[in-house]
Amino acid sequence: MGKQSGAYSESKMVWWAYREGFPPDSPKQIHWILSDLCNQDCHFCAYRMEGYTSNELFGSGSKSELSAYGHDNPVRWIDTDRALRLIDEFKAAGCLSLQFTGGGEPTVHPRHEDIFQKALDTGFQCALVSNGYRWRERIFDILPKFKWIRVSVDAGTPENYAAIRRVKASAWDTVWGNIHRLVESCKGLAEKPYIGLGYVVTPQSYKEIYKFSEIAQQAGVDNIRFTALFSTENEIPLLPIYEETCDLIRQSRESFKSVAIHDNFGTRLADLVQREPDYSFCSYQYYTTYVGGDVNVYRCCVLAYNKRGLIPGGDIKNRRFDEFWASDERKQNFREFDAKGCPRCQFNQKNRELLYVTGSTYSGPATHVEFP
């Protein structure tokens, strides 16, 4: 589990800054939304939450066709030919890794397997965040070649899973069946992907944390990531459940030692309590960028499908991504962007660590460095 403990390190940008200097010439990772359409309807989905930052340009606000299933669910995905060309453009820009995520559900894209395989063949390190429900036969040959996969489950019983995700209770068995099959598909490989599960802690789900951890260990996954609900109410829904949630995560860690349990709940709650960042310079946008299902480039996932997050010149439907990234327009916008104007941020710790390293330029000189 030693390698696993670094999977959620907040110091990765610092590692790159130390190795290559700052700012980097290219983003290291792209959050890539192949599909804005989803086959589930989670009540806490930030993209479908009216009034939330990531909803502003997402569904009805973008005047797109909406699916009859679910709420605020646009029938929109990146054209396959454009997606395949984008992979070459990401490589030309110097990007190293692609995280297929949502938005919607990546595997709803009708040719997602072809896009995944092209990304691997082009030399990208790949990752997938998925609800794990619509996995077809071919994907079990492809995913073992990824670096990591995280399946979002967010409940510990089939009844609560169905209520939270607004699906039939039978979906629970389908998803866990796919998780078990993926674990089996990766056994015996010289280099296996990290298989993890995601759990967004909400007032509806927190009591099932321990039960979920037990099921996860039995499934043979590598890790669990617990994180906090982000909503228009910020920390208010989470304060009454904070102590019990932390205790349940602690109990799970003590009881289920063969699965690495990452507790992002407390740090995310602190981000919500803080509201806007207390620093101006955002370094995260230099290392990870976000390409939406509308084929626009956004500053980060928190400001995805949001006017503040939409980077000038970032409509890449008919513009090469590498050309956009190298443009003076993009570079100037990054230099002038003031993070204090963001309503909330879940990358505060990452930004603060890099600000400390590059502080003489952006946040004042580092202090007490003689006392490491």
Side-chain angles (χ1 to χ4, degrees):
M1 289 299 171
K3 290 183 179 179
Q4 279 292 107
S5 64
Y8 291 104
S9 171
E10 301 288 6
S11 300
K12 293 177 184 178
M13 297 193 314
V14 176
W15 186 89
W16 279 110
Y18 177 79
R19 176 175 172 172
E20 296 188 350
F22 185 85
D25 293 330
S26 60
K28 304 306 175 188
Q29 173 185 212
I30 291 176
H31 284 176
W32 195 7
I33 287 52
L34 294 182
S35 170
D36 287 325
L37 181 66
C38 194
N39 54 354
Q40 297 192 345
D41 189 22
C42 303
H43 72 84
F44 55 78
C45 179
Y47 299 99
R48 293 159 178 82
M49 190 180 298
E50 186 175 354
Y52 194 74
T53 48
S54 299
N55 178 255
E56 184 179 23
L57 302 174
F58 184 70
S60 57
S62 63
K63 303 294 188 296
S64 59
E65 179 190 355
L66 297 180
S67 170
Y69 174 77
H71 69 289
D72 214 4
N73 196 12
V75 182
R76 181 176 61 217
W77 51 72
I78 297 179
D79 174 76
T80 300
D81 290 341
R82 182 68 190 110
L84 296 174
R85 294 198 310 274
L86 274 171
I87 292 172
D88 293 326
E89 294 167 22
F90 295 154
K91 177 61 72 172
C95 181
L96 300 177
S97 63
L98 300 177
Q99 180 185 149
F100 298 99
T101 184
E105 165 56 35
T107 62
V108 166
H109 191 290
R111 289 184 59 191
H112 63 274
E113 297 103 334
D114 293 333
I115 297 168
F116 291 176
Q117 188 62 56
K118 162 82 172 181
L120 290 169
D121 292 343
T122 307
F124 280 106
Q125 306 287 349
C126 295
L128 172 66
V129 180
S130 171
N131 60 33
Y133 181 66
R134 194 177 179 269
W135 288 2
R136 299 185 295 219
E137 187 69 24
R138 187 180 168 198
I139 205 166
F140 294 101
D141 293 325
I142 295 174
L143 291 186
K145 302 170 188 174
F146 274 35
K147 295 299 288 186
W148 58 265
I149 302 101
R150 185 168 69 242
V151 181
S152 303
V153 182
D154 309 312
T157 63
E159 296 77 19
N160 206 24
Y161 179 86
I164 288 172
R165 293 185 162 264
R166 296 167 177 154
V167 293
K168 295 178 180 179
S170 60
W172 169 269
D173 290 332
T174 299
V175 169
W176 280 107
N178 286 335
I179 292 168
H180 280 271
R181 183 173 177 187
L182 179 60
V183 170
E184 286 297 316
S185 298
C186 295
K187 285 183 176 178
L189 295 178
E191 184 177 354
K192 296 188 292 185
Y194 289 136
I195 301 173
L197 305 180
Y199 198 106
V200 176
V201 177
T202 71
Q204 292 77 28
S205 69
Y206 77 100
K207 288 184 179 294
E208 296 179 353
I209 285 173
Y210 189 87
K211 178 63 175 174
F212 172 80
S213 300
E214 180 180 26
I215 298 170
Q217 177 167 274
Q218 292 170 351
V221 300
D222 296 300
N223 65 48
I224 303 168
R225 188 188 76 163
F226 291 107
T227 191
L229 163 74
F230 267 51
S231 74
T232 55
E233 296 181 275
N234 292 304
E235 80 280 7
I236 293 173
L238 302 174
L239 292 178
I241 67 171
Y242 176 77
E243 294 294 339
E244 189 173 353
T245 295
C246 292
D247 191 50
L248 286 167
I249 294 174
R250 179 190 58 78
Q251 290 178 36
S252 298
R253 274 180 165 167
E254 292 174 354
S255 299
F256 309 114
K257 297 187 181 297
S258 67
V259 57
I261 295 178
H262 299 283
D263 180 7
N264 284 13
F265 176 75
T267 55
R268 292 294 178 261
L269 185 62
D271 292 335
L272 290 169
V273 170
Q274 178 178 316
R275 305 289 199 274
E276 67 277 358
D278 54 3
Y279 50 85
S280 290
F281 188 78
C282 173
S283 52
Y284 181 79
Q285 63 184 339
Y286 286 87
Y287 288 97
T288 297
T289 198
Y290 184 109
V291 176
D294 59 358
V295 207
N296 282 305
V297 185
Y298 294 92
R299 204 171 306 278
C300 67
C301 60
V302 179
L303 293 178
Y305 302 97
N306 181 271
K307 293 176 183 177
R308 177 174 173 79
L310 186 60
I311 305 171
D315 182 343
I316 55 171
K317 298 178 188 66
N318 299 299
R319 183 185 190 184
R320 287 185 61 93
F321 175 84
D322 52 324
E323 173 196 316
F324 154 74
W325 193 263
S327 69
D328 291 336
E329 182 182 24
R330 195 276 305 170
K331 294 177 182 177
Q332 180 178 347
N333 177 265
F334 275 30
R335 288 192 297 268
E336 295 176 351
F337 181 75
D338 188 349
K340 288 184 177 179
C342 297
R344 63 187 68 81
C345 181
Q346 58 182 325
F347 308 112
N348 286 316
Q349 191 170 342
K350 293 178 187 288
N351 279 327
R352 290 189 186 111
E353 291 205 21
L354 195 60
L355 282 169
Y356 186 82
V357 173
T358 60
S360 58
T361 304
Y362 297 111
S363 63
T367 57
H368 292 182
V369 294
E370 302 85 357
F371 298 90

